[in-house]
Amino acid sequence: MTTDATSPSADGPTNEPLHVDGEDHLETVVSDRDVVLVDFYADWCGPCKMLEPVVETIAAETDATVAKVDVDANQQLAAAYGVRGVPTLLVFADGEQVEQHTGALPEDRLRSLIERYTE
């Protein structure tokens, strides 16, 4: 495991998803990076488990930072963003939320969504 995943620089994306713990942590991640894909998930969620390898590939192969939020551990944070079902994917560009999708997206669609903001 690289140290970049555990102590990422504020300059750019990491190659692995960051696990977010609380609203302040998410705000820091979003404000420090250009494009952030936030995956609101639950360990018990089947579609979330299907989406996990896709999210990991996006983290490794795109210029976006991927943040994962466990809705069971962060219920207030999920409520603050209007998450009513999992998985819910949010995209932030330049600190602003620009996209929100509920349900697992295919990798090609998710990749093109990210590329809209990273190119």
Side-chain angles (χ1 to χ4, degrees):
M1 177 184 250
T2 63
T3 54
D4 287 346
T6 55
S7 58
S9 72
D11 301 0
T14 61
N15 290 333
E16 294 182 15
L18 300 170
H19 289 270
V20 171
D21 185 27
E23 190 169 355
D24 290 342
H25 188 200
L26 181 58
E27 287 177 9
T28 300
V29 170
V30 167
S31 66
D32 285 351
R33 293 170 175 84
D34 294 334
V35 178
V36 180
L37 171 68
V38 183
D39 174 18
F40 284 88
Y41 75 98
D43 289 333
W44 47 263
C45 165
C48 299
K49 291 178 183 181
M50 290 172 33
L51 186 62
E52 189 169 358
V54 172
V55 169
E56 289 174 356
T57 299
I58 295 295
E61 296 179 2
T62 71
D63 289 334
T65 296
V66 175
K68 292 183 66 72
V69 178
D70 181 340
V71 295
D72 291 326
N74 296 280
Q75 292 178 6
Q76 288 181 329
L77 180 58
Y81 283 97
V83 174
R84 298 186 184 275
V86 287
T88 293
L89 301 167
L90 277 59
V91 178
F92 290 84
D94 299 321
E96 298 293 322
Q97 182 179 337
V98 292
E99 300 277 350
Q100 180 166 342
H101 297 273
T102 302
L105 294 178
E107 183 177 343
D108 59 339
R109 185 155 169 230
L110 189 53
R111 189 178 294 271
S112 66
L113 185 69
I114 295 294
E115 287 172 355
R116 266 191 244 164
Y117 301 99
T118 57
E119 292 180 343

